[in-house]
Every structure is written in structure tokens, then in C-alpha cells.
Amino acid sequence: MSNKVYIETYGCQMNVADSEVVISILSDKGFQLTQNINDAGLILLNTCSIRENAEQRIWSRLKAIKHLKKKNGEIIIGLIGCMAERLKKRVLETDQLVDIVVGPDAYRELPLLVAEAESGHKAINVLLSREETYADISPVRMDKNGVSSFVSIMRGCNNMCAYCVVPYVRGAERSRDPQSILREVKELFDSGYREVTLLGQNVDSYKWIFNDKVITFSGLLEMVTQVNPLLRVRFSTSHPKDISDDLLKTIAGYDNICKHIHLPAQSGSSRILKLMNREYSREWYMDRIRAIRSIIPDCSLSTDMISGFCTETEEDHQASLSLMEWAGFDFAYMFKYSERPGTKAARKYKDDIPDEIKTKRLNEIISLQNKLSSVSKKHDVGKVFEVLIEGPSKRSQEFLSGRTSQNKVVVFPGEGHKKGEYINVFIERCTSATLIGKIVK
Ligand code: SAH
Ligand code: SF4
Ligand code: F3S
């Protein structure tokens, strides 16, 4: 078998970070990363289960790569990540093509499982762990720009949002040793990175106890900002029930903590939020937004919204729209509710909103957000922002692209500047997705 490994990553940023851990583990055993699937002896799909269509995509992808295996029977195909964890050995029963199935906490076993598959046996490990954080593993970076990277600070989730499969496929929440986080961040800075995004399903509940001292997320953030003032620090995801004024003050207190909070509301109706088991009400969410606005006045805000959750009425839906309008989100990820087997919602409630209504409501949510995003960008025209350059813009080599602290993309004539540099840009106009401006000295 060729020792080249090819990996495709689906789903959230967590999976992106995990794929880098997976490649690191395999490289230590002599595997070489390839960008060309036709060269690979080992093909891995790092999968997502969050909605049914996420899993559908993977099944179609498996069909599409079937011919590679027909051509060369030695190729090993591995399904790893959240869908592997959810379906376990059913993956092997459903698709004869797959040789190995590995859940998110079993990546250290990958070399062994590959060897087993090489000797002709299907191999599987989907054990979840209470401790695994891959803290000692230095991820092999696979980002394109070399400026911005993800750093995983915790794994799993202890919340039980009724619709969500994550606690089942990622296991219990556990935080990673802050020293290993700092070491990874320093390594990134030393190799030219200028931005890190600290990742967890609920970063506000980060907790590390050492010598009877508790390090909270706020404490961790402060430690990471100290690595270097030229390093920007982002984080995701914050949970509305846990985001504290204390944390907001920390964010406000450091120039290199980015002024952007992703605070998924999911719904604007307190009744639906209760059914969702989100543990906050509309009023609580609004109070948190008011706190953000008063403690960090220049902060941008984004959300996730779900349309058509069980029993959602037109009135509940209107409450979601009015909350969005009131909050004036700068950006949003928006989804149709998709029932996931085994979750509380699947066990206890009926998925009773017809698909046409889910789609209609989703479209209303999307068109409102388009309007809000446009208002948010127009608001920036005429102002100057500090931008971290990420590289040439997609359209033209003469233009560079970067982001503001508020996470908005800015495109401007490069004037010889390079990625990784900070420059001030005056915003002249905006399109639907970007701010366009020129460098000011
Ligand atoms: N931990 C994060 C989000 C994890 S999943 C949080 O709590 O916010 C990312 C987003 O997918 C969620 O915020 C939610 O909006 C969406 N999502 C999760 N399960 C879903 C489901 N069953 N159907 C539709 N959207 C879902
Ligand atoms: Fe899922 Fe809720 Fe955990 Fe987010 S906080 S991962 S939505 S259970
Ligand atoms: Fe992420 Fe999808 Fe898993 S959203 S945690 S990759 S189920």
C-alpha cells in the first residue's frame, strides 16, 4: 500500500482541528499527506452528523470514490469523526467499501487500525473517552494562508440541547491543559501565524484545576493574549446561558482579543427555547446582548438560527425574526430543523412542522439576515479599521484580503504589503460579502 494519506474534512471547525491531529498521528508513523486523492493509499473522510443532509453528503462521496478502490484493491478507506461515532459498525454494513471506522476520541489508534485493515480485516474503534484531549500532539497545519489557525481548548459537550447530536458523538465535556494550549499557540506565533481561534462547543465552561486554583475561560484568554501583542485571539462558541460579564470585561480589556462574539440564539421564542433545553429565555438572551453592547461597544455579533423546530408556530417564528431584527446580527448561520435519531427531541417530540413550512420560514430568516448583514457593512463605510492581511484576494493578485477585529472581510489594493501584517484600511464601499477600501498611512 502507498504510504500517502488523503483527508477530506466535513462539518465544523472542530473537525478541521481534528484532521490536523489525525495527520500528525499518521505522520509520526511514516505516512505522508497528499492533496491528490489519486495518489493515496489511505483515504480518510472526517465526517459530520449534525443534520441529515450532512450524512447524505458523505454517502454520496463514498459512492463517488468507489471507482478508485475498484481500480486498486489495496486502497484503504476510512470513515472517521462524528458520523463514524454515531453509526458505529452499521457503517461497515451499509457500505462495503469502508475498511475502517474511527470515532473522534480514538485517533491515536489509527495507525494500528490501518495495519489491521491492510491485513484484510475491517477495523473499528468508536470508544469515547473522558480524558482524551490530544494535548501532547502537535497538529500538522493544513490551512491555506499560514496566518490564522484553530486551537482546540476542550472536547465534547455537557449540554443537552434537545435537537443536538454532538453530546452523543463527541462525548462528555473535558478541558485541555492550559500549558499545552499555550505551547501550541507559541509554536504557531513563532512559525508566522498571527491569529488563533480557540475552539470548544461551549468555551464559557472551560475549566482547569491546578493546585487548587481554577482557571476559567476568562483566565485562559488572558494567558493566551500574553503570548504576543501581535497575536489576535478569537474564540467559538459562546453559550448564551454561560457568557458572563467577567468574560466580557476581559474581552474589552485587551486590544488583541477580537471584538466579535458568536452567540447562537437558535430561536427567539422562550417557549421553543425551553423545548430545546437551551436553558435561557428570550429575555435572558436580550440581557446578554445589552451587556455586550455596553461593555464592548465595538463588538460584532453573530448567531445560529433553526427554523421549524417541533411545535414551532407562526408566532414563535415571528419571535425569531423580531429577535434577529432587534439584535441586528452582523452574520448568521441558518438551518432547517433536522431530526437526529437518539436525541431528546427525536425521542420525545414529533417532528411536526412540514418541510415546506420549515423552508418558507428559513427563507424568511435568510432574507432578513441578508438585510441585516448589509446594514452592518454599510455602517462601516467611511471608517478606518485595523486589518490583519491573510493573502491575495480571490479575484485579483493586486488586491489583498484580510479581516477586521469584528471578523468582516476587507479587500484593498496591496501596495506591496504581505500576509501576516497589520495595516489600517479606510472603507470606501461594500458589496454583499465584503468591505472594499484603501490603505491609510
Ligand atoms: N455548540 C454550538 C453549536 C454546535 S452545532 C452551540 O451550542 O451553539 C452548530 C449549529 O448547528 C447549532 O448552533 C445549531 O444551530 C445547528 N444544529 C444543531 N443540531 C441541529 C439539528 N438537529 N437541526 C438543525 N440544525 C442543528
Ligand atoms: Fe449541541 Fe447544545 Fe452542546 Fe451546542 S451546546 S454542541 S447545540 S448540545
Ligand atoms: Fe462538528 Fe458536525 Fe461533529 S458540527 S462536532 S463535525 S457533528
Side-chain angles (χ1 to χ4, degrees):
M1 177 193 125
S2 137
N3 69 345
K4 295 214 169 115
V5 52
Y6 171 86
I7 188 163
E8 259 171 35
T9 307
Y10 297 82
C12 67
Q13 299 162 340
M14 254 0 143
N15 261 11
V16 175
D18 279 5
S19 285
E20 299 186 329
V21 165
V22 162
I23 294 303
S24 173
I25 291 170
L26 288 168
S27 306
D28 281 352
K29 297 283 181 228
F31 284 88
Q32 253 180 18
L33 181 64
T34 172
Q35 309 296 337
N36 181 356
I37 193 169
N38 298 303
D39 271 358
L42 173 61
I43 298 174
L44 297 176
L45 303 185
N46 191 1
T47 60
C48 173
S49 277
I50 200 83
R51 283 166 292 274
E52 196 186 345
N53 60 12
E55 293 194 358
Q56 287 307 338
R57 267 181 84 192
I58 305 291
W59 293 124
S60 334
R61 188 62 186 137
L62 282 169
K63 278 208 187 79
I65 59 181
K66 209 172 212 144
H67 69 281
L68 294 171
K69 181 118 179 176
K70 286 222 174 100
K71 225 166 45 193
N72 176 358
E74 284 195 353
I75 288 177
I76 289 172
I77 296 181
L79 199 85
I80 67 173
C82 297
M83 187 174 161
E85 187 64 48
R86 192 178 84 75
L87 294 171
K88 306 189 168 59
K89 66 176 190 307
R90 272 177 289 161
V91 174
L92 300 172
E93 289 154 12
T94 314
D95 195 312
Q96 306 296 321
L97 208 71
V98 175
D99 303 290
I100 56 179
V101 176
V102 189
D105 284 346
Y107 294 147
R108 287 182 202 267
E109 296 297 309
L110 258 168
L112 256 157
L113 297 166
V114 173
E116 212 173 307
E118 271 185 295
S119 68
H121 304 285
K122 302 261 172 189
I124 177 162
N125 189 332
V126 288
L127 289 177
L128 287 173
S129 154
R130 288 184 170 277
E131 289 95 33
E132 184 62 272
T133 58
Y134 301 111
D136 56 312
I137 291 174
S138 296
V140 171
R141 301 297 164 188
M142 289 193 282
D143 60 90
K144 300 226 165 61
N145 62 29
V147 174
S148 177
S149 185
F150 298 125
V151 174
S152 170
I153 62 163
M154 55 209 293
R155 299 181 71 82
C157 183
N158 279 357
N159 295 310
M160 279 288 162
C161 302
Y163 51 80
C164 185
V165 77
V166 170
Y168 303 90
V169 295
R170 292 249 157 197
E173 179 187 287
R174 65 221 96 125
S175 296
R176 176 178 171 191
D177 180 342
Q179 290 311 323
S180 81
I181 297 172
L182 286 175
R183 196 188 58 228
E184 187 176 331
V185 171
K186 280 190 190 112
E187 276 170 20
L188 283 166
F189 188 84
D190 292 341
S191 49
Y193 285 82
R194 290 297 174 264
E195 182 176 277
V196 292
T197 304
L198 307 179
L199 293 181
Q201 294 297 353
N202 176 3
V203 290
D204 309 275
S205 63
Y206 177 89
K207 191 172 168 187
W208 186 263
I209 300 169
F210 183 69
N211 281 348
D212 290 337
K213 250 185 68 194
V214 179
I215 296 172
T216 60
F217 181 57
S218 189
L220 178 73
L221 258 185
E222 283 185 320
M223 287 157 75
V224 175
T225 61
Q226 305 304 308
V227 167
N228 197 296
L230 285 176
L231 180 78
R232 270 187 179 179
V233 187
R234 299 186 185 277
F235 53 90
S236 186
T237 304
S238 304
H239 198 301
K241 79 177 161 70
D242 293 324
I243 193 165
S244 64
D245 287 1
D246 196 40
L247 175 66
L248 299 180
K249 283 174 195 152
T250 303
I251 299 168
Y254 291 87
D255 281 344
N256 59 336
I257 302 182
C258 288
K259 305 297 181 268
H260 165 230
I261 298 177
H262 184 58
L263 196 69
Q266 315 296 2
S267 167
S269 151
S270 292
R271 186 183 74 83
I272 292 291
L273 287 168
K274 190 155 194 208
L275 278 182
M276 286 178 163
N277 209 21
R278 287 288 287 180
E279 297 183 43
Y280 56 85
S281 62
R282 177 189 176 95
E283 289 66 38
W284 174 275
Y285 188 87
M286 290 171 78
D287 170 74
R288 293 294 76 209
I289 300 271
R290 282 192 200 98
I292 293 170
R293 298 270 185 244
S294 84
I295 300 171
I296 324 168
D298 56 342
C299 194
S300 68
L301 271 170
S302 54
T303 186
D304 294 348
M305 299 300 289
I306 298 179
S307 83
F309 186 63
C310 314
T311 78
E312 188 188 69
T313 61
E314 181 58 28
E315 196 187 338
D316 294 319
H317 169 59
Q318 289 302 327
S320 288
L321 294 173
S322 72
L323 181 71
M324 291 173 71
E325 186 112 44
W326 177 84
F329 293 115
D330 298 275
F331 186 79
Y333 294 99
M334 299 153 285
F335 313 102
K336 258 199 287 194
Y337 172 59
S338 162
E339 185 178 83
R340 307 311 291 131
T343 56
K344 182 179 174 208
R347 285 183 278 116
K348 301 236 162 107
Y349 317 140
K350 211 167 137 225
D351 182 11
D352 58 353
I353 307 302
D355 193 59
E356 314 87 80
I357 297 190
K358 286 183 185 172
T359 304
K360 176 179 158 280
R361 290 180 186 165
L362 177 64
N363 287 338
E364 288 173 17
I365 288 174
I366 292 173
S367 73
L368 171 59
Q369 186 53 48
N370 286 343
K371 192 185 93 188
L372 298 176
S373 298
S374 151
V375 169
S376 145
K377 283 190 203 73
K378 285 192 182 126
H379 187 77
D380 293 343
V381 173
K383 295 185 185 148
V384 173
F385 290 90
E386 186 181 61
V387 172
L388 171 60
I389 305 175
E390 289 176 8
S393 83
K394 278 185 213 128
R395 295 253 178 88
S396 149
Q397 287 288 323
E398 279 157 43
F399 282 76
L400 292 173
S401 167
R403 274 176 298 150
T404 64
S405 170
Q406 288 75 13
N407 210 25
K408 292 184 197 169
V409 176
V410 185
V411 170
F412 50 92
E415 297 177 19
H417 286 278
K418 291 195 190 63
K419 68 177 184 183
E421 289 177 26
Y422 289 94
I423 34 104
N424 288 321
V425 178
F426 174 77
I427 308 301
E428 296 174 310
R429 60 194 177 88
C430 59
T431 66
S432 63
T434 17
L435 301 173
I436 298 164
K438 60 169 193 254
I439 296 177
V440 289
K441 298 281 181 293

